[in-house]
Amino acid sequence: DALIRHISETDPAVNGLLVVGHAPTIPALASHLGNASDSQEADRLQCWYPTSTFTEFTFDGDWIDLATFRLDNIQLARVERR
């Protein structure tokens, strides 16, 4: 939840954001966001998120919209496990 709050503080002029971090925070974030569009993949993200995994999400709205934790406008675009 803290990481989503930080992301929601991103300047609205920014239209792409790369978040880099470690487990368990990043796999948990990916799973949480992924659950909005693909619950099966969200489960896999929580359980299997190897080092160097890349996860891309798209969403309609502004960064501040994430602060409300309404995640229904988020789409899991791709997952690349290496």
Side-chain angles (χ1 to χ4, degrees), residues 22-82:
H22 297 277
T25 304
I26 297 301
L29 174 66
S31 177
H32 187 71
L33 296 176
N35 197 47
S37 63
D38 186 339
S39 61
Q40 288 182 339
E41 183 60 36
D43 287 343
R44 285 190 291 272
L45 289 170
Q46 185 66 39
C47 297
W48 182 46
Y49 204 91
T51 301
S52 300
T53 296
F54 177 83
T55 309
E56 180 181 359
F57 295 92
T58 60
F59 74 101
D60 294 322
D62 294 320
W63 299 109
I64 194 68
D65 297 339
L66 297 176
T68 64
F69 296 96
R70 278 195 48 236
L71 306 177
D72 55 336
N73 58 348
I74 295 177
Q75 294 294 313
L76 177 59
R78 70 180 165 149
V79 177
E80 290 186 26
R81 293 175 176 92
R82 302 199 184 253

Side-chain angles (χ1 to χ4, degrees), residues 10-18 57 59 61 63:
T10 301
D11 187 307
V14 174
N15 54 6
L17 183 68
L18 177 64
F57 295 92
F59 74 101
W63 299 109

